[in-house]
């Protein structure tokens, strides 16, 4: 009889532990999803803003070419070189393609420069540069979801890019954020916040 009671108590303890673990997992999951949505919005806004700055830089060279201060070839070369060297948030970069689409400048894959990228497909079979051009021609600017290798890797990963047009030159200026990086950061933040709340609950 005592053995039965002991087993019953042990089973209850394990059931309570399992419920607590399930509750923690649910809290972490919900927290991660909430944090992910917030982080994605923040990163998308930041990417949009930096692309707008990139377009402003190109526009300054458009003006210099229009005024005769620079030739068109000089202005385009200087504008592409300026964006080639710019980085933000660590490894994030800009690229430029025209409405061909032909790659004008890509700091991570310079072998694409001067080539027709209309046939470049992501892992979902989407002609992403054709999508960029279509969006810019229809809306002027906007976000496109795709897959593309991260810097230093050949494996494609989910990415959200913001592209904006420079109509005077028929250029598309773009930059993107890795969805994987946002999700990893969201999980880390959600786990840290859950641990903090549990510690506060235990000590209160």
């Amino acid at each position: 009889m005592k053995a039965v009671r002991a087993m019953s108590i042990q089973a209850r303890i394990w059931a309570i532990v399992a419920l607590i673990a399930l509750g923690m997992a649910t809290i972490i999951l919900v927290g991660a999803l909430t944090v992910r949505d917030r982080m994605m919005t923040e990163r998308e806004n930041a990417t949009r803003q930096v692309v707008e700055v990139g377009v402003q830089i190109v526009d300054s060279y458009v003006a210099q070419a229009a005024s005769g201060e620079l030739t068109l070839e000089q202005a385009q070369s200087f504008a592409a070189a300026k964006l080639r060297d710019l980085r933000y948030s660590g490894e994030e970069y800009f690229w430029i393609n025209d409405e061909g689409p032909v790659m004008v400048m890509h700091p991570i894959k310079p072998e694409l420069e001067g080539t027709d990228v209309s046939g470049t497909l992501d892992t979902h079979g989407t002609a992403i540069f054709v999508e960029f051009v279509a969006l810019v021609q229809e809306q002027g600017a906007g976000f496109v979801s795709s897959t593309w290798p991260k810097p230093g890797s050949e494996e494609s990963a989910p990415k959200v890019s913001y592209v904006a047009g420079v109509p005077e030159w028929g250029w598309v200026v773009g930059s993107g954020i890795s969805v994987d990086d946002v999700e990893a950061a969201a999980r880390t933040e959600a786990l840290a916040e859950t641990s903090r709340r549990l510690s506060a609950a235990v000590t209160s």
Side-chain angles (χ1 to χ4, degrees):
M1 194 68 176
K2 289 181 180 179
V4 173
R5 284 186 192 146
M7 287 294 293
S8 178
I9 292 171
Q10 189 176 34
R12 289 177 186 175
I13 291 172
W14 280 112
I16 291 170
V17 170
L19 285 172
I20 291 172
L22 178 61
M24 287 181 63
T26 301
I27 291 171
I28 292 171
L29 176 61
V30 172
L33 291 174
T34 301
V35 172
R36 178 193 180 280
D37 289 344
R38 174 177 59 78
M39 282 188 169
M40 279 299 297
T41 299
E42 291 174 351
R43 297 280 183 92
E44 286 176 352
N45 287 338
T47 302
R48 175 179 55 79
Q49 290 169 4
V50 296
V51 170
E52 288 172 350
V53 170
V55 169
Q56 289 174 7
I57 291 171
V58 175
D59 283 342
S60 70
Y61 288 100
V62 170
Q64 291 180 64
S67 69
E69 184 178 346
L70 296 172
T71 66
L72 177 61
E73 291 75 15
Q74 287 174 328
Q76 290 182 337
S77 177
F78 291 159
K82 188 75 172 180
L83 264 60
R84 183 189 298 277
D85 295 334
L86 289 181
R87 295 291 185 276
Y88 65 97
S89 299
E91 296 183 327
E92 304 298 353
Y93 59 89
F94 298 87
W95 81 85
I96 304 168
N97 59 267
D98 67 16
E99 294 184 353
V102 170
M103 185 63 70
V104 174
M105 184 280 293
H106 199 295
I108 307 303
K109 290 186 172 291
E111 66 273 15
L112 293 177
E113 293 175 10
T115 67
D116 182 344
V117 288
S118 60
T120 300
L121 309 179
D122 70 1
T123 55
H124 301 297
T126 301
I128 53 176
F129 293 101
V130 173
E131 290 285 316
F132 296 150
V133 172
L135 176 63
V136 165
Q137 289 178 340
E138 291 173 9
Q139 302 178 23
F143 289 99
V144 177
S145 296
S146 63
T147 58
W148 189 261
K150 295 180 182 179
S153 173
E154 292 300 318
E155 293 186 11
S156 292
K159 189 170 187 176
V160 176
S161 300
Y162 187 82
V163 291
V166 181
E168 295 87 350
W169 289 354
W171 277 12
V172 175
V173 177
S175 188
I177 52 174
S178 169
V179 175
D180 286 353
D181 291 345
V182 175
E183 290 178 344
R187 286 193 297 269
T188 299
E189 184 173 322
L191 183 59
E193 178 62 17
T194 300
S195 298
R196 185 191 66 77
R197 290 183 180 181
L198 287 173
S199 298
V202 169
T203 56
S204 63

